[in-house]
Amino acid sequence: MTSNNIDKLKEIIKKSNNIVFFGGAGVSTASGIPDFRSATGLYNEKNNKGYSPEYMLSHEFFSEHPREFMDYVRNNLIYEEAKPNKCHLALKKLEDMGKLKGIVTQNIDSLHQLAGSKNVVEIHGNLRDYHCVNCGKYLSFEDMKERDFSIKCPNCGGVLRPDVVLYGEALDLENINNAINLIENAEILIVGGSSLMVYPAAGFIDYFRGDTLVLINKTKTSYDSRADFVFYEDIGNTMSQLANI
Ligand SMILES: [Zn+2]
């Protein structure tokens, strides 16, 4: 039976020290970062030269137009002023309490780390780290900023790119393994801000073998009937309540 009784879930959380959180774009939207896959996201921006964000963020576009690709990333994906919201802070609190084992996120904005969370698996990579596709030289976001986002490697002249997984690219194997390891050993899995429509999100949830599956999303997902708790609520408000124990 699926429940939406938050007090009942809080009692379960009180007794657990093995909670894992799986987060989608909805976790970041309250920090002012749009979901580029949703209708209200970047798809409607006028600066795509008529291309979809999926194409602008594809391996093909990056390979053929690395300068335009980096401009697109800089103008549309980087939100330097964004601050962690109530959801990020609640998860940091649960980790400090020894209850949360880790976070698996589809987001690339590093807001969990900014909130102070330690064990974060970024399955789509992040925008903090950059490297040269030719020699592998590492540059930080600060390095890139200092060089005005030049895509020319200071070491060998090769092309620089962010460590994000582009459309048409495989996920990092170490990240996949870390994510699966967390999820399949978790007692409670909380899935938040994800419609679970986008590959490979749903695939990760299938590894969960624990007792309590919790979904927090503003709209229905195809996993609702399998969940023990479903909340069609704001992710920040709900997570704040769950961490207030
Ligand atoms: Zn290089």
Side-chain angles (χ1 to χ4, degrees), residues 5-6 63 75-76 85 96 124 131 151 159 166 184 186 192 237:
N5 186 329
I6 197 151
S63 303
N75 294 332
N76 295 285
N85 60 54
D96 287 347
H124 291 156
H131 73 271
I151 58 166
V159 174
L166 302 177
E184 71 182 356
N237 288 339

Side-chain angles (χ1 to χ4, degrees), residues 36-55:
F36 64 82
R37 291 187 181 92
S38 81
T40 54
L42 293 179
Y43 198 81
N44 293 335
E45 293 289 314
K46 293 268 188 280
N47 54 0
N48 294 10
K49 303 180 173 85
Y51 297 135
S52 70
E54 284 84 353
Y55 181 64

Side-chain angles (χ1 to χ4, degrees), residues 13-49:
I13 285 177
K14 269 185 202 167
K15 292 184 193 119
S16 179
N17 60 2
N18 188 2
I19 304 167
V20 169
F21 182 84
F22 183 98
V27 171
S28 293
T29 45
S31 292
I33 297 175
D35 172 8
F36 64 82
R37 291 187 181 92
S38 81
T40 54
L42 293 179
Y43 198 81
N44 293 335
E45 293 289 314
K46 293 268 188 280
N47 54 0
N48 294 10
K49 303 180 173 85

Side-chain angles (χ1 to χ4, degrees), residues 109-122:
D109 49 47
S110 303
L111 287 176
H112 288 296
Q113 289 91 335
L114 201 58
S117 289
K118 300 280 190 297
N119 193 15
V120 184
V121 181
E122 299 165 306

Side-chain angles (χ1 to χ4, degrees), residues 24-192:
V27 171
S28 293
T29 45
S31 292
I33 297 175
D35 172 8
F36 64 82
R37 291 187 181 92
S38 81
T40 54
L42 293 179
Y43 198 81
N44 293 335
E45 293 289 314
K46 293 268 188 280
N47 54 0
N48 294 10
K49 303 180 173 85
Y51 297 135
S52 70
E54 284 84 353
Y55 181 64
M56 300 298 285
L57 297 171
S58 68
H59 183 78
E60 186 186 345
F61 186 74
F62 161 69
S63 303
E64 288 168 11
H65 309 281
R67 179 68 263 169
E68 287 83 354
F69 165 80
M70 189 67 90
D71 289 341
Y72 185 81
V73 168
R74 188 183 189 183
N75 294 332
N76 295 285
L77 298 189
I78 294 172
Y79 289 82
E80 252 195 286
E81 306 301 317
K83 300 267 186 301
N85 60 54
K86 285 195 283 187
C87 177
H88 300 103
L89 299 174
L91 289 165
K92 152 79 168 137
K93 186 178 171 191
L94 287 170
E95 189 181 52
D96 287 347
M97 293 164 84
K99 299 197 153 295
L100 187 85
K101 276 266 159 53
I103 296 166
V104 178
T105 182
Q106 297 178 272
N107 299 322
I108 55 176
D109 49 47
S110 303
L111 287 176
H112 288 296
Q113 289 91 335
L114 201 58
S117 289
K118 300 280 190 297
N119 193 15
V120 184
V121 181
E122 299 165 306
I123 54 174
H124 291 156
N126 68 74
L127 292 164
R128 297 185 309 275
D129 302 323
Y130 297 75
H131 73 271
C132 168
V133 296
N134 182 46
C135 75
K137 181 173 173 59
Y138 170 83
L139 284 91
S140 67
F141 175 72
E142 297 304 323
D143 296 333
M144 292 298 291
K145 234 171 61 171
E146 224 166 77
R147 305 174 75 250
D148 198 26
F149 280 79
S150 163
I151 58 166
K152 198 173 168 191
C153 172
N155 206 25
C156 76
V159 174
L160 298 171
R161 63 168 287 176
D163 288 2
V164 292
V165 180
L166 302 177
Y167 288 95
E169 293 181 340
L171 300 187
D172 179 77
L173 199 58
E174 194 185 331
N175 275 338
I176 295 179
N177 287 335
N178 288 340
I180 290 173
N181 190 41
L182 275 172
I183 290 168
E184 71 182 356
N185 292 307
E187 219 167 61
I188 302 175
L189 179 64
I190 304 175
V191 181

